[in-house]
Amino acid sequence: MGTRHRDEGVTMAERPLVVPNPNDPRLTRRLKGLDQDRQPVLSDVVVERPLTLYLNGQEIVTMMTIGDYPECLAVGYLLNQNMLLAGDRISGIDYDEEVETVVVRTERVTNYEQKLSRKVLTSGCAQGTLFGDVLEKFREVKLDRTAVLHTRWLKTLLREIGTLPSLYLVAGAIHGCALCAGDAVILYMEDVGRHNAVDKIAGYMFLNGIAPHDKIFYTTGRLTSEMVIKTVQMQIPILISRSGVTAWGVELAERAGLTLIGRARGRRFLVLAGSERVIFDADAGEDAGA
Amino acid sequence: MGTRHRDEGVTMAERPLVVPNPNDPRLTRRLKGLDQDRQPVLSDVVVERPLTLYLNGQEIVTMMTIGDYPECLAVGYLLNQNMLLAGDRISGIDYDEEVETVVVRTERVTNYEQKLSRKVLTSGCAQGTLFGDVLEKFREVKLDRTAVLHTRWLKTLLREIGTLPSLYLVAGAIHGCALCAGDAVILYMEDVGRHNAVDKIAGYMFLNGIAPHDKIFYTTGRLTSEMVIKTVQMQIPILISRSGVTAWGVELAERAGLTLIGRARGRRFLVLAGSERVIFDADAGEDAGA
């Protein structure tokens, strides 16, 4: 099923390979409500559903998700929890929509019973659980020092992300994450939990052999410690958010040598770590000197 | 340490009993960054730190939190995970800032080893973990049918919440929750994880004997399934958010008989469940007929 390091020239992508499908009837539901004037109104809301993940014989976790790209979510979750390793061969992925389960099978025999009994809750719009050894692995990751971010790419990326098909625009209550190469968005995923959107991207990258080393990761959500940890684990050297950061997020980014950019809106942004990868070549444009 | 059902007339509160302290130097840090024009800028960011929770002899979880009100967070977490029961007597709470631990001691002997090995991850800006029996208990809760929400209270509440001391205004990357009685805010808590803010409120209510049955719960975050479950568990009959909802959140609210109000901004809002508690008596005011 491919490895993490083959790159199929996706940096050439004209448009994202993967985006949400706001027209998928499974993803939203139209509900009746009352407005402030007691008038009946119809409101489209996101549907979250359980998905129980098995790795080989073992039940790992039940996730709440909008339910698109379940195979990517399953594989990405296992990768980001170090239950699936970069060298692993996946022998099968069986998704059963009926019973809301996804089973990932690997050639390697796995048993994470002990690991499953020890978790650290994390903060923010985050998955809320990380296993201790994830933090250990975090310390070993070496991010590509040659990767760069041209600030002229940023405005293009933010504009493109703003125009992609989005459940957020239809129903709100959702987070989005994007994988970018240069000024092109390769993947865009959304979910009720931002952590799910991240995991879907990690899973797609693994299943399709997309190299992380020269990529840029974007999230609508806050740059909490867990977002930094996951980005580093995915070996993506640059993380951008339109939202704010936490001090520990910045500290972890500095430790890992991750380039961290917050509050990215329009042409404005704030480089909080790893500024050596940032090439300030944006045309100041209409609001120059702002 | 009080029980859940004594009410010390807090509905009379002139101002909130508890609010964040934006001036607490432990809660934010000033970081150096570069802006889009490569100019050095200082930015205040929220500090998240680990807090390891023990119940009697047993390590329960490590949470990432801004660190204010650790005793409330500890007790509220245990309550919302059904590890602390409404009738329990707390014999002591020891918070050690140095080693970042909080130990809750109960007269009842506790052992949740088995329970700790089985979790369900939930979505959204949520704690991310719930134990199976929480969902079971959810089905048993009976919410007060006599509680009401006058829509004229809403504008007052939203305005007051907007003017409370807030780390969000200083540093962003944070969520807020408020406990309200009538048109008065009793408690306002913030944290990097909204789930922590909820748990701090639950803990404060338990420790101070604040009755939930006639209260209103407000959150800045989305009305996901977990927010609904926690509100119901806390036996608060009315949940309001300025953000959107998920379909399962609405479904759970209907099942539990919870009054659910989303997208509450200014005088606008959307009643999505439990409209029988809502008394539409707001003065349409300046934007009448909007």
Coordinates of all heavy atoms in Angstrom, one line a residue, chain A residues 167-219:
Chain A
L167 N -17.8 21.7 4.2 CA -19.0 21.5 5.0 C -19.2 22.6 6.0 O -20.3 22.9 6.4 CB -18.8 20.2 5.8 CG -19.0 18.9 5.0 CD1 -18.4 17.7 5.7 CD2 -20.5 18.7 4.7
Y168 N -18.1 23.3 6.3 CA -18.1 24.4 7.3 C -19.1 25.4 6.7 O -20.0 26.0 7.5 CB -16.8 25.0 7.5 CG -16.8 26.1 8.5 CD1 -16.8 25.9 9.9 CD2 -16.9 27.5 8.1 CE1 -16.9 26.9 10.8 CE2 -16.9 28.5 9.0 CZ -16.9 28.2 10.4 OH -17.0 29.2 11.3
L169 N -19.0 25.7 5.4 CA -19.8 26.8 4.8 C -21.3 26.3 4.9 O -22.2 27.2 5.0 CB -19.4 27.0 3.4 CG -17.9 27.5 3.3 CD1 -17.5 27.7 1.8 CD2 -17.7 28.8 4.0
V170 N -21.5 25.0 4.8 CA -22.9 24.5 4.8 C -23.5 24.4 6.2 O -24.6 24.9 6.4 CB -22.9 23.1 4.1 CG1 -24.3 22.5 4.1 CG2 -22.4 23.2 2.7
A171 N -22.7 23.9 7.1 CA -23.3 23.5 8.4 C -22.5 24.0 9.6 O -22.9 23.9 10.7 CB -23.4 22.0 8.4
G172 N -21.3 24.5 9.4 CA -20.5 25.0 10.5 C -20.1 23.8 11.4 O -20.2 22.6 11.0
A173 N -19.7 24.1 12.7 CA -19.4 23.1 13.7 C -18.4 22.1 13.2 O -18.6 20.9 13.4 CB -20.6 22.4 14.2
I174 N -17.4 22.5 12.5 CA -16.4 21.6 11.9 C -15.1 22.3 11.7 O -15.0 23.5 11.7 CB -17.0 21.1 10.5 CG1 -16.3 19.8 10.1 CG2 -16.8 22.2 9.4 CD1 -17.2 19.1 9.1
H175 N -14.0 21.5 11.6 CA -12.7 22.0 11.5 C -12.1 21.5 10.1 O -12.5 20.4 9.7 CB -11.8 21.5 12.6 CG -11.9 22.4 13.8 ND1 -11.6 23.7 13.9 CD2 -12.3 22.0 15.1 CE1 -11.8 24.2 15.1 NE2 -12.3 23.2 15.8
G176 N -11.2 22.2 9.6 CA -10.5 21.9 8.3 C -9.0 21.8 8.5 O -8.4 22.6 9.2
C177 N -8.4 20.9 7.7 CA -6.9 20.9 7.7 C -6.5 20.7 6.2 O -7.2 20.0 5.5 CB -6.4 19.7 8.4 SG -6.5 19.9 10.2
A178 N -5.4 21.3 5.8 CA -5.0 21.2 4.4 C -3.5 20.8 4.4 O -2.7 21.3 5.2 CB -5.2 22.5 3.7
L179 N -3.1 19.9 3.4 CA -1.7 19.7 3.1 C -1.4 20.4 1.9 O -2.1 20.4 0.9 CB -1.5 18.2 2.9 CG -0.1 17.8 2.6 CD1 0.8 17.9 3.9 CD2 0.0 16.4 2.0
C180 N -0.3 21.2 1.9 CA 0.0 22.1 0.8 C 1.5 21.8 0.3 O 2.3 21.4 1.1 CB -0.1 23.5 1.2 SG -1.6 23.9 2.1
A181 N 1.7 22.0 -1.0 CA 3.0 21.9 -1.6 C 3.2 23.2 -2.3 O 2.5 23.5 -3.3 CB 3.1 20.7 -2.5
G182 N 4.2 24.0 -1.9 CA 4.4 25.3 -2.5 C 3.1 26.1 -2.3 O 2.6 26.1 -1.2
D183 N 2.6 26.7 -3.3 CA 1.4 27.5 -3.2 C 0.1 26.7 -3.6 O -0.9 27.3 -3.9 CB 1.5 28.8 -3.9 CG 1.6 28.6 -5.4 OD1 1.7 27.4 -5.9 OD2 1.7 29.6 -6.2
A184 N 0.2 25.4 -3.7 CA -0.9 24.5 -4.1 C -1.4 23.7 -2.9 O -0.6 23.1 -2.2 CB -0.5 23.6 -5.2
V185 N -2.7 23.6 -2.8 CA -3.3 22.7 -1.8 C -3.5 21.3 -2.4 O -4.1 21.2 -3.5 CB -4.7 23.2 -1.4 CG1 -5.3 22.3 -0.4 CG2 -4.6 24.6 -0.8
I186 N -2.9 20.3 -1.7 CA -3.0 18.9 -2.2 C -4.2 18.2 -1.7 O -4.9 17.6 -2.4 CB -1.7 18.2 -1.8 CG1 -0.5 18.8 -2.4 CG2 -1.8 16.7 -2.3 CD1 0.8 18.3 -1.9
L187 N -4.3 18.3 -0.3 CA -5.4 17.6 0.3 C -6.1 18.6 1.3 O -5.5 19.4 1.9 CB -4.9 16.5 1.2 CG -3.9 15.5 0.6 CD1 -3.4 14.5 1.7 CD2 -4.6 14.7 -0.5
Y188 N -7.5 18.5 1.3 CA -8.2 19.3 2.3 C -9.2 18.3 2.9 O -10.0 17.7 2.2 CB -8.9 20.5 1.6 CG -9.7 21.3 2.6 CD1 -9.0 22.0 3.6 CD2 -11.1 21.4 2.5 CE1 -9.7 22.8 4.5 CE2 -11.8 22.2 3.4 CZ -11.1 22.9 4.4 OH -11.8 23.6 5.3
M189 N -9.2 18.2 4.2 CA -10.1 17.3 5.0 C -10.8 18.1 6.1 O -10.2 19.0 6.7 CB -9.3 16.2 5.6 CG -8.7 15.3 4.6 SD -9.8 14.1 4.0 CE -8.7 12.8 3.4
E190 N -12.0 17.8 6.4 CA -12.8 18.4 7.5 C -13.3 17.3 8.4 O -13.5 16.2 7.9 CB -13.9 19.3 6.9 CG -13.5 20.5 6.1 CD -14.6 21.3 5.6 OE1 -15.7 20.8 5.2 OE2 -14.5 22.6 5.7
D191 N -13.6 17.6 9.6 CA -14.3 16.7 10.5 C -14.8 17.5 11.7 O -14.3 18.6 12.0 CB -13.4 15.5 10.9 CG -14.2 14.3 11.2 OD1 -15.2 14.3 11.9 OD2 -13.9 13.2 10.6
V192 N -15.7 16.9 12.5 CA -16.1 17.5 13.7 C -15.0 17.7 14.7 O -15.0 18.7 15.4 CB -17.3 16.7 14.4 CG1 -18.6 17.0 13.8 CG2 -17.0 15.2 14.3
G193 N -14.1 16.8 14.7 CA -12.9 16.9 15.5 C -11.7 17.2 14.6 O -11.5 16.5 13.6
R194 N -11.0 18.3 14.8 CA -9.9 18.7 14.0 C -8.9 17.5 13.9 O -8.3 17.2 12.9 CB -9.2 19.9 14.6 CG -8.1 20.4 13.7 CD -7.5 21.6 14.4 NE -7.2 21.3 15.8 CZ -6.5 22.0 16.6 NH1 -6.0 23.2 16.2 NH2 -6.2 21.6 17.8
H195 N -8.7 16.8 15.1 CA -7.8 15.7 15.1 C -8.1 14.7 14.1 O -7.3 14.0 13.5 CB -7.9 15.1 16.5 CG -9.3 14.8 17.0 ND1 -9.9 13.7 16.6 CD2 -10.1 15.6 17.6 CE1 -11.2 13.8 17.1 NE2 -11.3 14.9 17.7
N196 N -9.4 14.5 13.8 CA -9.8 13.5 12.8 C -9.4 14.0 11.4 O -8.9 13.2 10.6 CB -11.3 13.3 12.7 CG -11.9 12.5 13.9 OD1 -11.1 11.8 14.6 ND2 -13.1 12.6 14.1
A197 N -9.5 15.3 11.1 CA -9.1 15.9 9.9 C -7.6 15.7 9.7 O -7.1 15.3 8.6 CB -9.5 17.3 9.8
V198 N -6.8 15.9 10.7 CA -5.4 15.6 10.7 C -5.1 14.2 10.4 O -4.3 13.9 9.5 CB -4.7 16.0 12.0 CG1 -3.2 15.7 11.9 CG2 -5.0 17.4 12.4
D199 N -5.8 13.3 11.1 CA -5.5 11.9 10.9 C -5.9 11.4 9.5 O -5.2 10.6 8.9 CB -6.3 11.0 11.9 CG -5.7 11.2 13.3 OD1 -4.5 11.7 13.5 OD2 -6.3 10.8 14.3
K200 N -7.0 12.0 8.9 CA -7.4 11.6 7.6 C -6.3 12.0 6.6 O -5.9 11.2 5.7 CB -8.7 12.3 7.2 CG -9.9 11.7 7.8 CD -11.1 12.6 7.3 CE -12.3 12.5 8.2 NZ -13.3 13.5 7.8
I201 N -5.6 13.1 6.8 CA -4.6 13.6 5.9 C -3.4 12.6 6.1 O -2.8 12.2 5.1 CB -4.2 15.0 6.2 CG1 -5.3 15.9 5.6 CG2 -2.8 15.4 5.6 CD1 -5.1 17.4 5.7
A202 N -3.0 12.3 7.3 CA -1.9 11.4 7.6 C -2.1 10.1 6.9 O -1.2 9.5 6.3 CB -1.7 11.2 9.1
G203 N -3.4 9.6 7.0 CA -3.7 8.3 6.4 C -3.6 8.3 4.9 O -3.1 7.4 4.3
Y204 N -4.1 9.4 4.3 CA -4.1 9.5 2.8 C -2.6 9.6 2.4 O -2.3 8.9 1.4 CB -4.8 10.8 2.4 CG -4.9 10.8 0.9 CD1 -6.1 10.3 0.2 CD2 -3.9 11.3 0.1 CE1 -6.2 10.4 -1.2 CE2 -4.0 11.4 -1.3 CZ -5.1 10.9 -1.9 OH -5.2 10.9 -3.3
M205 N -1.8 10.3 3.1 CA -0.4 10.4 2.7 C 0.3 9.1 2.8 O 1.0 8.7 1.8 CB 0.3 11.4 3.7 CG -0.1 12.8 3.5 SD 0.6 13.9 4.8 CE 2.3 14.0 4.2
F206 N 0.0 8.3 3.8 CA 0.6 7.0 3.9 C 0.1 6.1 2.8 O 0.9 5.4 2.1 CB 0.2 6.4 5.3 CG 0.9 5.0 5.5 CD1 2.1 4.9 6.1 CD2 0.2 3.9 5.2 CE1 2.7 3.7 6.4 CE2 0.8 2.6 5.4 CZ 2.0 2.5 6.0
L207 N -1.2 6.1 2.6 CA -1.8 5.1 1.6 C -1.4 5.5 0.2 O -1.4 4.6 -0.7 CB -3.3 5.1 1.7 CG -3.8 4.5 3.0 CD1 -5.3 4.7 3.2 CD2 -3.4 3.0 3.1
N208 N -1.0 6.7 -0.1 CA -0.7 7.2 -1.4 C 0.8 7.6 -1.6 O 1.1 8.2 -2.6 CB -1.6 8.3 -1.8 CG -3.1 7.8 -1.9 OD1 -3.5 7.3 -2.9 ND2 -3.8 8.0 -0.8
G209 N 1.6 7.3 -0.6 CA 3.0 7.6 -0.7 C 3.3 9.0 -1.0 O 4.1 9.4 -1.9
I210 N 2.7 9.9 -0.2 CA 3.0 11.3 -0.4 C 4.1 11.7 0.7 O 3.9 11.5 1.9 CB 1.8 12.2 -0.2 CG1 0.7 11.9 -1.3 CG2 2.1 13.7 -0.1 CD1 -0.6 12.6 -1.1
A211 N 5.2 12.2 0.2 CA 6.3 12.6 1.1 C 6.0 13.8 1.9 O 5.4 14.8 1.3 CB 7.6 12.8 0.3
P212 N 6.3 13.8 3.2 CA 5.9 14.9 4.0 C 7.0 16.0 4.1 O 6.7 17.2 4.5 CB 5.8 14.3 5.4 CG 6.8 13.2 5.4 CD 6.8 12.7 3.9
H213 N 8.2 15.7 3.6 CA 9.4 16.5 4.0 C 9.4 17.9 3.5 O 10.0 18.8 4.1 CB 10.7 15.8 3.6 CG 10.7 14.4 4.1 ND1 10.3 13.3 3.4 CD2 10.9 13.9 5.4 CE1 10.4 12.2 4.1 NE2 10.8 12.5 5.4
D214 N 8.7 18.1 2.4 CA 8.7 19.5 1.8 C 7.3 20.1 1.8 O 7.1 21.1 1.1 CB 9.2 19.4 0.3 CG 8.3 18.5 -0.5 OD1 7.5 17.7 0.1 OD2 8.3 18.5 -1.8
K215 N 6.4 19.6 2.6 CA 5.1 20.0 2.6 C 4.8 21.1 3.7 O 5.6 21.3 4.6 CB 4.1 18.8 2.8 CG 4.2 17.8 1.7 CD 4.0 18.3 0.3 CE 4.0 17.2 -0.7 NZ 5.3 16.5 -0.8
I216 N 3.6 21.7 3.6 CA 3.1 22.7 4.5 C 1.8 22.2 5.0 O 0.9 21.8 4.2 CB 3.0 24.0 3.8 CG1 4.4 24.5 3.3 CG2 2.4 25.1 4.8 CD1 4.2 25.6 2.2
F217 N 1.6 22.3 6.4 CA 0.3 21.8 6.9 C -0.4 23.0 7.4 O 0.1 23.9 8.1 CB 0.6 20.8 8.1 CG -0.6 20.0 8.4 CD1 -1.0 18.9 7.7 CD2 -1.5 20.4 9.5 CE1 -2.1 18.2 8.0 CE2 -2.6 19.7 9.8 CZ -2.9 18.5 9.0
Y218 N -1.7 23.1 7.1 CA -2.6 24.2 7.5 C -3.7 23.7 8.3 O -4.3 22.7 8.0 CB -3.1 25.0 6.3 CG -4.2 26.0 6.6 CD1 -3.8 27.3 7.0 CD2 -5.5 25.7 6.5 CE1 -4.8 28.2 7.3 CE2 -6.5 26.6 6.9 CZ -6.2 27.8 7.3 OH -7.1 28.7 7.6
T219 N -4.1 24.4 9.4 CA -5.3 24.1 10.1 C -6.1 25.3 10.5 O -5.5 26.4 10.7 CB -4.9 23.3 11.4 OG1 -6.1 23.2 12.2 CG2 -3.9 24.1 12.2

